[in-house]
Amino acid sequence: MEATDTQRGVQPPPSEAEAVEAARLLIADPLGAGLRQDYRHATGHDLTGPDPLAVTGFVYRGRAEGDAPGALAACGPHRCVRLFTKVKNGPWIDTRRLVIDLSARTVARLG
């Protein structure tokens, strides 16, 4: 190790397990309807869980990123994630405007 650094107010990137759990919450939420529809359109099958998706999660910090609707006001102290989703061996499905609050286990839409 050459150096270390300490920072406040930041979070590490979501783990793979956190990204999968965020996808599970999104799929079950009414705001996940577009994801479920796009998956059905791409595959002809219903999306009932995160297994057929490749998901990558990114931390969402809420007000620090400029646009945090009321439902996401706690992001920053809460663990909030934005997902990039792709059908395994298939097309990307746009979920960038959705934020999953893993702490509160809720989903909200940006803008």
Side-chain angles (χ1 to χ4, degrees), residues 3 12 18 29 37 51-52 62 65 68 71 81 84 87 90 107 110:
E18 287 176 310
D29 192 271
Q37 289 170 346
D51 290 341
E65 294 189 28
V81 175
F84 288 82
V87 176
V107 178
L110 293 172

Side-chain angles (χ1 to χ4, degrees), residues 9-100:
V10 297
Q11 295 182 9
S15 68
E16 182 179 340
E18 287 176 310
V20 169
E21 182 60 18
R24 186 180 327 281
L25 291 169
L26 177 58
I27 291 164
D29 192 271
L31 288 175
L35 170 61
R36 294 188 305 271
Q37 289 170 346
D38 288 351
Y39 180 84
R40 177 169 253 305
H41 179 74
T43 67
H45 301 285
D46 289 335
L47 180 62
T48 59
D51 290 341
L53 299 175
V55 294
T56 303
F58 294 89
V59 171
Y60 176 77
R61 298 178 304 146
R63 290 191 183 127
E65 294 189 28
D67 180 22
L72 299 173
C75 289
H78 280 197
R79 186 70 162 157
C80 295
V81 175
R82 292 173 75 180
L83 292 177
F84 288 82
T85 55
K86 182 180 185 309
V87 176
K88 288 181 181 173
N89 299 314
W92 290 93
I93 299 175
D94 188 3
T95 56
R96 292 172 295 164
R97 304 294 298 162
L98 300 169
V99 177
I100 301 92

